[in-house]
Amino acid sequence: MAQLDTLDLIVLIALLVGTAAYFTKGTYWAVPKDPYAASFNHANGAKSGKTRNILEKMDESGKNAVVFYGSQTGTAEDYASRLAKEGSSRFGLKTMVADLEDYDYENLDTFPEDKVAMFVLATYGEGEPTDNAVDFFEFVTGDDVAFSAGGSPEDKPLSNLNFVAFGLGNNTYEHYNSMVRKVNATLVKLGAQRISAAGEGDDGAGTMEEDFLAWKEPMWTELSQKMNLEEREAVYEPTFGITEREDMSPDTNEVYLGEPNKNHLEGTSKGPYNSHNPFIAPIVESREVFTVKGRNCLHMEIDVSKSNLTYQTGDHIAVWPTNAGKEVDRFLGILGLLDRRHTVISVKGLDPTARVPFPTPTTYDAAIRYHMEICGPVSRQFVAALAAFAPDEASKEEMARLGEDKEYFREMVSNQYLNIAQVLERVCESRWTSVPFSIMMESIQKLQPRYYSISSSSLVQKSKISITAVVEEIRIPGDKPNVVKGVTTNYLLALKQKQHGDPDPDPHGLTYAIVGPRNKYDGCHVPVHVRHSNFKLPSDPSKPIIMVGPGSGVAPFRGFVQERAAQAKAGEKVGKTILFYGCRKPSEDFLYKDEWEMYKQALGDSFELFTAFSRETTDKVYVQQRLSEQASLVNELLQQKANFYVCGDASNMAREVNTMLGQIISGQRGLSPEKGEELVKSMRSSNQYQEDVWS
């Protein structure tokens, strides 16, 4: 037998190792992968190793129904999950939920006719798709849309696609529910078969939940007929399995205590920083800008110099909040989990398509404090589902009544702004120990970042982002009064108090874990990312602008004026810069009063500030009245192609400003009111009229 030389031995050993690897699939040396290890890459498309072929995914997981969602704040995702859950439990559908950005859509023309696609689509901003729906929307509505089998839109390539659709919108915006309307029309145009009318929920009217419930019942009836489904008694079937880990403690290094992904857990946070991966930013300055007791408005400076975050004037900053300790304790208490709050749990999806909404292993406390929207509005459907787990028969009957009677539910829950723990407390003060934690995970939205208009100029301070935020509070009178506190603004207030020397900040009776998981936010840090906006200054600084921003709606305009003042100081020609600002009283809540004087010195006659004070005299004066008084100036600037900006309340102020502008144009130019409205719409479509509004 010939002697084996060293090279022969190396090759032989390599072949043996390769053969072992093939047949054992790496069993002997494989390390379980943390699914959140690279969660910061989620914004860049498909997750590593996952298919982007939705039909392949449905086939390999045995699904016959997919619920796609386009969501900005988590509500559409929540509705999609509820539809999937109900389709499975009531009708035996094999459902999955799918993020629109996770898949490609060229093969929709081969979608089997014995399956169904559901679309739950929120409209964002001025009729735009949500961030995760942009690629899908641009593909299906594109003039050159091309599917896998070829053919033109006239060939009706989606004739096998059965679908239903529900939209989430706000009637205070001009382009109400435009996403679902456009997608619905496009799919039908391409030959798809719509089952049941497309539904539209209206957040502006406060009827989103009832609109959804009213739409889904006839939809299920028609879908059942189309797919020969039989309704059965809905029994709760958990989507997630939860295991309490006796082998781990909160001190165990691999236990997540609120960290959003593995890099944060290991202290090696790195970019890109985005909606899946926040930057833990230092707060370098915080101050109160109201001068009246009982009300707070915060100005904060966030340092992003050590991140890859960049912004442009007019963008938004997202703040990742934590829930108040008082509400975390209430939630844990009513479920009987207070003494187990620091118990380590592992969570896994019981279905291959289920995505665990937060990193595990974690603790009950961390999941509730950092990841669950426990102070959010409660759905009637959720209350009905919890009836089966009530501690006694009387409580079960009360929960069933709340779930069935929408007027009673509105009176007892919605109008009182109760969160889910408060509902359970009021129905029965005994602990609800039979409620599975899995149903709370499945039914409560993920705690979402809150977005604030950046109130600084990127030209002036590119590495520091300014926030202007009014601390929110709603007082509900009655036999059982309730005070609703803004989740994020009170968190920011606690951070401000901490920075100013309070060792145990307790704003409005609320406490926060402001040092973050494992003290990683100590020294006054806050998790943030930046969202880019189309709310922008003209590229030519000599172009005139008109800004309308009462209250904290003035935030982006501070950035606009700050930028123009810097340009003027640098010798650039700056166009007329007009700001209409309103507040209650100049002695109480006149935001940045001294700064406007400083900017005036830099800009000279180019800058004019018109103020409206609603509580200064018995006659309430608002910005739209000041706008009317300056009709001649406004019209003159508009004829010079001035950009017109509005920021603030969408439901009243912005709508009235829109109407007033039409009246100014028609009155000043001798046109009919209809023609004035038409010209305002034309300004909107050409981006001459821009809004950054909320309801």
Side-chain angles (χ1 to χ4, degrees), residues 322-380:
T322 68
N323 284 309
K326 177 181 178 180
E327 294 302 333
V328 174
D329 291 348
R330 186 200 305 273
F331 190 90
L332 287 163
I334 197 64
L335 296 181
L337 291 173
L338 272 175
D339 59 345
R340 290 154 55 205
R341 68 189 308 157
H342 299 303
T343 297
V344 176
I345 57 173
S346 288
V347 182
K348 69 174 183 178
L350 300 179
D351 180 282
T353 65
R355 183 184 296 175
V356 179
F358 46 76
T360 74
T362 186
T363 65
Y364 288 114
D365 185 286
I368 295 162
R369 188 178 302 274
Y370 291 99
H371 298 293
M372 296 170 67
E373 194 79 71
I374 59 173
C375 293
V378 180
S379 77
R380 194 155 53 88

Side-chain angles (χ1 to χ4, degrees), residues 36 55 78 114 133 142 158 190 213 232 255 257 311 400 419 422 502 510 570 595 612 653:
Y36 284 83
L55 299 182
D78 175 56
D114 61 346
L158 301 186
L190 293 170
L213 297 179
R232 60 191 186 185
V255 173
L257 298 182
Y311 78 101
N419 60 46
Q422 290 174 315
D502 188 338
L510 304 175
E595 286 190 27
M653 182 277 299

